[in-house]
Amino acid sequence: MSNVFEAMMKQYENSHNGRTSTTAKKYDLKNYFSTYLPKGVNQETKRIRILPPAEGETTPFTVFWGHKAQVEGEWKTFPCLKLEDDEACPFCEARQALLSTGKESDKELAKKYSPRMMYVVKIIDRDNESDGVKFWRFNHDYRKTGTMDKIMGAIKAVQHDITDTETGRDLLINIARDQNNRPVVQSITYPIESTPLCSDENTVKEWVSDTRTWRDVYSTRKYDYLAIVVGGETPVWDKQKEKYVSKESRESEANQNEIDSLDSELRMGSETNDNANHTLDSVKNENASVETKVVETTSANSYDDEDDDLRFFSFVDLLDM
């Protein structure tokens, strides 16, 4: 058996024995492999080839720790600053603060801020080989029923290194919608025959020599940005302050300035006191309504473990990630 096969098996076993800690970017959707299904498509099979480990690495799978949170109603994944960069992390701080109260309700809420173990692996999408090397990120499942478990099931079955450039094997990713109409990886199988990575030696060399890591294609947000997300609000870039600020707080401040300006005009006698009070109350009520909607939008704390936030990327996301 190859050293890579044995290393992958050992990594998989260790992943269920407790947690292990572990420049310029080009933002192109071709860099990412996704198991997302387009609207109207209920099932699909995608064929991929996992690339050999990078030089100096023993397995092709990189352990990744991240936090998931909603931003404007959509789930996003953020690398954990504490576990990935050994820096202060707002998510981890919120979790610790909740655990320190000793309340059972806070302990349950703290789970929302816990770092989640994931994997990142470099692959070739057989249906889109011209895209070159892609990165696939998926969740670890402590119940042993997740994507990694299905991949390892296929590897165990063939009993050899499926990443070998000459004798490796492709994997067939079978995706279907669950009872909640969300796409999930239902099974992972493999073709009977082993095949070379590519018949063209130059292409093989190009794919295998790709030195990028997840940091080259996935962004790491700074503390101030994440603190706004943890607070249940939406980060937006403020050109004047040259930093991220809360969209909701900025809108609330703008509304308050409008109220103060209107209040000042009314006090100068442009309207009667009764009309002034009526106008002010109307503006304040409208502002309160906006704030209520924000709270309702950001209060959800559940998500699909197989959800892939890549489909929510916008042009702005790709520029400032």
Side-chain angles (χ1 to χ4, degrees):
M1 295 184 187
S2 73
N3 292 333
V4 173
F5 171 78
E6 293 176 352
M8 284 192 288
M9 296 301 296
K10 183 176 181 180
Q11 181 189 36
Y12 176 64
E13 292 174 2
N14 289 339
S15 71
H16 290 284
N17 292 331
R19 297 185 173 184
T20 56
S21 61
T22 58
T23 57
K25 300 180 179 66
K26 179 181 179 182
Y27 299 110
D28 188 338
L29 289 179
K30 292 181 179 180
N31 289 330
Y32 311 98
F33 177 76
S34 171
T35 56
Y36 173 67
L37 294 178
K39 184 177 181 180
V41 178
N42 293 323
Q43 60 182 25
E44 187 176 2
T45 297
K46 298 187 178 184
R47 186 166 180 156
I48 68 167
R49 178 65 163 259
I50 295 178
L51 292 172
E55 185 176 355
E57 300 294 331
T58 56
T59 86
F61 302 103
T62 298
V63 173
F64 171 94
W65 292 96
H67 297 277
K68 293 200 174 188
Q70 279 189 315
V71 178
E72 293 190 297
E74 307 292 3
W75 287 106
K76 302 286 186 178
T77 299
F78 304 100
C80 176
L81 295 182
K82 180 178 180 180
L83 295 180
E84 292 296 343
D85 296 321
D86 195 26
E87 297 177 0
C89 173
F91 285 96
C92 294
E93 290 175 352
R95 175 178 179 272
Q96 189 58 43
L98 287 166
L99 292 176
S100 65
T101 68
K103 298 179 180 179
E104 289 301 320
S105 58
D106 286 344
K107 288 182 180 179
E108 185 63 27
L109 183 58
K111 296 178 182 179
K112 174 182 177 181
Y113 302 100
S114 297
R116 302 179 184 277
M117 183 177 177
M118 307 175 199
Y119 299 98
V120 179
V121 63
K122 292 159 78 171
I123 64 100
I124 296 298
D125 182 353
R126 289 303 197 192
D127 295 324
N128 300 280
E129 290 190 359
S130 61
D131 290 347
V133 178
K134 292 187 176 185
F135 289 75
W136 184 18
R137 184 178 65 196
F138 52 86
N139 299 314
H140 175 75
D141 189 335
Y142 291 98
R143 300 165 298 182
K144 297 187 178 183
T145 59
T147 297
M148 185 63 161
D149 306 283
K150 294 178 175 67
I151 292 175
M152 294 309 299
I155 292 176
K156 288 179 182 179
V158 298
Q159 288 290 308
H160 79 103
D161 175 17
I162 64 170
T163 72
D164 189 278
T165 58
E166 292 296 330
T167 63
R169 293 174 187 259
D170 293 349
L171 292 178
L172 302 175
I173 316 298
N174 302 305
I175 310 160
R177 295 188 182 277
D178 64 8
Q179 65 273 18
N180 296 313
N181 201 37
R182 291 175 293 196
V184 297
V185 175
Q186 290 201 327
S187 65
I188 296 179
T189 57
Y190 55 89
I192 297 177
E193 301 85 7
S194 61
T195 56
L197 175 58
C198 183
S199 58
D200 182 72
E201 293 183 4
N202 291 329
T203 301
V204 172
K205 184 177 180 180
E206 178 185 349
W207 289 346
V208 173
S209 62
D210 188 313
T211 59
R212 293 176 301 164
T213 69
W214 67 263
R215 292 182 182 274
D216 295 304
V217 295
Y218 295 108
S219 67
T220 299
R221 296 293 193 178
K222 299 299 183 182
Y223 184 96
D224 291 346
Y225 182 102
L226 297 181
I228 296 172
V229 174
V230 170
E233 298 184 333
T234 308
V236 292
W237 182 254
D238 189 309
K239 291 183 180 180
Q240 293 182 338
K241 296 180 179 180
E242 295 187 341
K243 67 176 184 178
Y244 281 101
V245 299
S246 164
K247 176 182 176 182
E248 291 77 14
S249 296
R250 187 167 68 175
E251 291 175 348
S252 177
E253 181 180 346
N255 287 340
Q256 186 60 51
N257 290 337
E258 183 179 342
I259 293 172
D260 292 341
S261 176
L262 180 59
D263 187 29
S264 177
E265 292 178 4
L266 293 175
R267 289 180 183 278
M268 292 175 66
S270 60
E271 298 288 345
T272 64
N273 288 337
D274 289 342
N275 288 338
N277 291 333
H278 174 74
T279 304
L280 284 170
D281 288 342
S282 297
V283 175
K284 289 178 179 178
N285 288 337
E286 182 179 353
N287 186 42
S289 176
V290 172
E291 292 177 351
T292 300
K293 290 179 181 177
V294 171
V295 171
E296 291 175 350
T297 300
T298 57
S299 63
N301 59 7
S302 62
Y303 60 90
D304 178 19
D305 282 345
E306 294 297 336
D307 197 23
D308 190 336
D309 55 358
L310 289 177
R311 65 184 182 279
F312 300 126
F313 280 176
S314 67
F315 179 72
V316 175
D317 289 329
L318 297 178
L319 287 178
D320 69 2
M321 280 180 63

